[in-house]
């Protein structure tokens, strides 16, 4: 069949449909003019039902005729188009009928009519979806039938949910004044926020609980072990307390974060005496000073000295805390000449004064420089520098 013949056939069918609808409307009007008001509603419903049935019959007839002339691939597409057209037409007729009935009914009955129309539309859509699924299933192998069923069921559910949401929104908007609609929106937004916050809080609590459980598990699985340098620390502390005094050290511990180095925290008054004992004791003999630097902790200043004994094959850290406003401490240059430049650097950048230093001076900045750049509260005297 040529394209011109197809067009002519479609035009003829469209004209026939239009004529049938016009005749149905004319007949309904004539019957309505002769009947009382109660019978008019029934007549309208019958006319609408007859028009729907006729339209559906024509659509099915057209689909069958087109299917007879088309190959198998095009038949499926034609069926889908016909089903979609039938659904759209049924929905349009239902809406038109609902509007016509609403114009003649009081407000109370309009809401009931709306609900009935919505329910009827849902039922009709579900019936059409089931019918289409059965028709397609008859032509498909078993594997494809299951997939088609699942898709049809999912589509039906989605359509029903969308219709329900749309109807609920329409009813709320029609029944509520503008002020109440805004309040309802705000409440919905607030509820959504509260729900999101509750979910986030629950997730955070669960994460914290998991972290605590993991931490407790790790602590249980990895009991604290004695450091291999603990015996040497005990030996050094015992020797210092015997020769310098019981209160010479404020604290002593193994620094786990620095290769388990034994660490001694000296009293500022006994700092030099402890350093001298470590340097000249025959059993200890910490003859090498490998590091000396200062640090500003804001609450106080601190000097850190790292020493090494080749005889013991052991390192030790000596620390002392100083008053931040007047940081003064004896120089270690008389014990280790290697302390000369590190002490000058601490004086230059932090303002720590090492008395009895042979030549304490600024080695990085000029003598007229204002302030100490490594202090936490340092502000440049000349902002352009």
């Amino acid at each position: 069949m040529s394209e011109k013949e197809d067009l002519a056939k479609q035009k003829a069918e469209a004209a026939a449909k239009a004529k049938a609808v016009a005749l149905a409307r004319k007949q309904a009007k004539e019957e309505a003019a002769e009947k009382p008001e109660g019978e008019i509603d029934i007549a309208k419903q019958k006319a609408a039902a007859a028009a729907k049935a006729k339209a559906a019959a024509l659509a099915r007839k057209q689909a069958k005729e087109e299917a007879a002339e088309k190959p198998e691939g095009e038949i499926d597409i034609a069926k889908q188009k016909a089903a979609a057209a039938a659904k759209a037409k049924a929905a349009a007729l239902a809406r038109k009928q609902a509007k016509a009935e609403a114009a003649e009914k009081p407000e109370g009955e309009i809401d009931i009519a709306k609900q009935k129309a919505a329910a009827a539309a849902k039922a009709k859509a579900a019936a059409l979806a089931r019918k289409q699924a059965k028709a397609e299933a008859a032509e498909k192998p078993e594997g494809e039938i299951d997939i088609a069923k699942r898709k049809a069921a999912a589509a039906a559910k989605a359509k029903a949910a969308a219709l329900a949401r749309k109807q609920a929104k329409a009813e709320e908007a029609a029944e509520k004044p503008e002020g109440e609609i805004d309040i309802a929106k705000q409440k919905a937004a607030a509820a959504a926020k509260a729900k999101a916050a509750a979910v986030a809080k629950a997730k955070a609590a669960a994460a914290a609980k998991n972290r605590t459980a993991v931490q407790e598990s790790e602590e249980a699985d990895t009991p604290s072990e004695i450091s291999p340098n603990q015996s040497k620390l005990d030996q050094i502390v015992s020797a210092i307390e015997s020769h310098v005094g019981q209160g010479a050290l404020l604290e002593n511990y193994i620094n786990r974060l620095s290769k388990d180095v034994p660490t001694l925290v000296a009293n500022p008054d006994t700092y030099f005496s402890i350093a001298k004992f470590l340097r000249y004791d025959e059993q200890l003999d910490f003859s090498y000073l490998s590091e000396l630097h200062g640090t500003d902790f804001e609450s106080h200043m601190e000097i850190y000295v790292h020493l090494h004994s080749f005889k013991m094959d052991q390192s030790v850290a000596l620390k002392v805390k100083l008053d931040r406003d007047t940081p003064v401490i004896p120089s270690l240059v008389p014990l280790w000449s290697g302390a000369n430049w590190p002490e000058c650097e601490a004086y230059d950048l932090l303002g720590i004064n090492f008395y009895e230093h042979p030549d304490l001076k600024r080695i990085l900045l000029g003598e007229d420089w204002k302030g100490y750049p490594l202090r936490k509260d340092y502000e440049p005297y000349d902002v352009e520098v």
Side-chain angles (χ1 to χ4, degrees), residues 25-156:
R25 284 200 295 269
K26 188 177 179 183
Q27 184 180 359
K29 285 179 182 178
E30 288 172 356
E31 288 177 359
E34 298 171 0
K35 292 180 181 179
E37 189 175 351
E39 293 181 9
I40 288 169
D41 291 338
I42 297 165
K44 280 185 179 178
Q45 292 171 4
K46 286 182 178 178
K52 286 181 189 175
K54 193 162 187 179
L58 283 168
R60 284 196 296 273
K61 187 177 179 183
Q62 184 182 1
K64 285 180 182 178
E65 288 174 357
E66 290 177 357
E69 297 170 2
K70 290 181 181 179
E72 190 175 351
E74 293 180 10
I75 288 169
D76 291 338
I77 298 165
K79 279 184 181 178
Q80 292 170 5
K81 286 181 179 177
K87 285 182 188 176
K89 192 161 186 179
L93 283 167
R95 285 195 297 272
K96 188 175 180 182
Q97 184 182 359
K99 285 180 183 177
E101 290 175 359
E104 298 171 1
K105 291 181 181 180
E107 191 175 349
E109 292 182 11
I110 288 169
D111 292 337
I112 297 166
K114 279 184 180 177
Q115 292 170 5
K116 287 182 178 178
K122 285 182 190 176
K124 191 157 188 180
L128 282 168
R130 285 196 297 273
K131 189 173 180 183
Q132 185 182 0
K134 285 180 183 177
E136 290 176 358
E139 298 172 2
K140 291 181 180 179
E142 190 175 351
E144 292 180 10
I145 288 168
D146 292 337
I147 297 165
K149 279 183 181 177
R150 292 193 200 115
K151 286 182 180 177

Side-chain angles (χ1 to χ4, degrees), residues 103-226:
E104 298 171 1
K105 291 181 181 180
E107 191 175 349
E109 292 182 11
I110 288 169
D111 292 337
I112 297 166
K114 279 184 180 177
Q115 292 170 5
K116 287 182 178 178
K122 285 182 190 176
K124 191 157 188 180
L128 282 168
R130 285 196 297 273
K131 189 173 180 183
Q132 185 182 0
K134 285 180 183 177
E136 290 176 358
E139 298 172 2
K140 291 181 180 179
E142 190 175 351
E144 292 180 10
I145 288 168
D146 292 337
I147 297 165
K149 279 183 181 177
R150 292 193 200 115
K151 286 182 180 177
K157 283 182 186 175
K159 192 165 185 179
L163 282 167
R165 284 195 299 271
K166 190 175 180 181
Q167 184 183 358
K169 285 180 182 177
E171 287 175 1
E172 286 177 5
E175 292 170 6
K176 292 180 180 179
E178 190 174 351
E180 289 183 13
I181 290 168
D182 292 338
I183 293 165
K185 282 183 180 177
Q186 289 170 6
K187 285 181 180 178
K193 282 182 185 176
K195 192 170 184 179
V199 170
K201 193 182 286 184
K203 285 183 179 177
K209 192 174 180 181
N210 289 338
R211 284 196 298 271
T212 305
V214 169
Q215 187 176 359
E216 288 176 355
S217 175
E218 287 177 353
E219 288 175 358
D221 294 340
T222 56
S224 57
E225 297 178 358
I226 298 173

